[in-house]
Every structure is written in structure tokens, then in C-alpha cells.
Amino acid sequence: MTFNPSQFVCAAKRLTSAEGYLELRMPRQALESLDGIGDPGPLRPIVEMLRGKALWLDRRYEDAARSLRFAARNIHSPHNRPAWLALSIYYRNHGQPGEALDSLARARGASLPERRPEARPF
């Protein structure tokens, strides 16, 4: 999707609004602002980063991890580091130490190959 100038301005205002709500620790209002963007097109990684932060504040960790994972993989380093750090905390708290260490390493700037699920015998 490509934005025309007025759609881009509207999306930028909603992103700014969502950031403001997050600073005030008002995650539900931030989510409402992000939902108003509709199809974010090329802004999706930024929207998912903010959505992940809002969901985290709202204690919806599974949904937050999904959004943060998308943002971490689609935003260039070093701007994706907060997402990797949050994912490291999520994985640690959910009993996935390997994923937690990989995410922490990525948050610190390491370039690692994607972790593949281990092959399990019959």
C-alpha cells in the first residue's frame, strides 16, 4: 500500500498520539489511536513496535510478544533494540532461556542467524 500525503499525515498524527498516550501510561488509548490507522502499509513495523509497548503495559504479554517480534525483525538496528530487549524479558519469564539469550544478544547488537525449531525424532 502506498500512502497519499493526507493519509501519511493522518497516520503520523496517530503515531504521535499513541506515543503520547504511552508516555502517560495509557495503553488502551494508545491502542485505539493505532487501530485508527487502518492498514499501516510501510509504517507497519513502527505501528507494531508501539502496539507491542501498549500491549505490554496492558499486561497482554502474548500479544505484545507477537507485535514486538515483528517490529524487531523489520526495523533496522539499532532502532530495533528495545523490541529485542522486551522479547528477551518475555522469553525469560516464559521458560525459553535459549530464545531469551538470543534476543538479549540481538538487543546488544549481535548478528545471529534465525533460530530454527529443533528436529524431533519420531
Side-chain angles (χ1 to χ4, degrees):
M1 172 187 183
T2 57
F3 285 124
N4 66 41
S6 65
Q7 288 173 312
F8 185 80
V9 169
C10 182
K13 286 180 180 180
R14 288 192 171 272
L15 288 171
T16 302
S17 174
E19 285 181 313
Y21 283 127
L22 289 173
E23 287 178 15
L24 296 172
R25 303 188 69 76
M26 300 171 71
R28 292 190 180 133
Q29 290 82 352
L31 289 170
E32 288 175 14
S33 183
L34 294 171
D35 289 341
I37 294 175
D39 179 11
L43 299 176
R44 184 171 176 212
I46 297 166
V47 170
E48 292 300 325
M49 174 72 93
L50 294 175
R51 184 180 311 283
K53 289 180 180 182
L55 291 166
W56 192 277
L57 284 174
D58 204 29
R59 299 175 189 248
R60 294 167 50 191
Y61 302 115
E62 298 284 330
D63 296 330
R66 195 173 307 112
S67 289
L68 291 168
R69 199 173 299 116
F70 182 87
R73 290 180 177 154
N74 291 285
I75 295 175
H76 294 288
S77 183
H79 306 289
N80 64 355
R81 289 182 179 168
W84 284 121
L85 184 58
L87 285 170
S88 177
I89 294 166
Y90 169 80
Y91 289 133
R92 184 192 69 207
N93 291 341
H94 286 83
Q96 299 177 39
E99 291 290 336
L101 288 173
D102 284 357
S103 296
L104 182 59
R106 286 184 173 98
R108 296 186 55 132
S111 178
L112 302 174
E114 284 292 322
R115 186 181 275 263
R116 293 194 173 105
E118 295 179 23
R120 298 186 186 241
F122 303 98

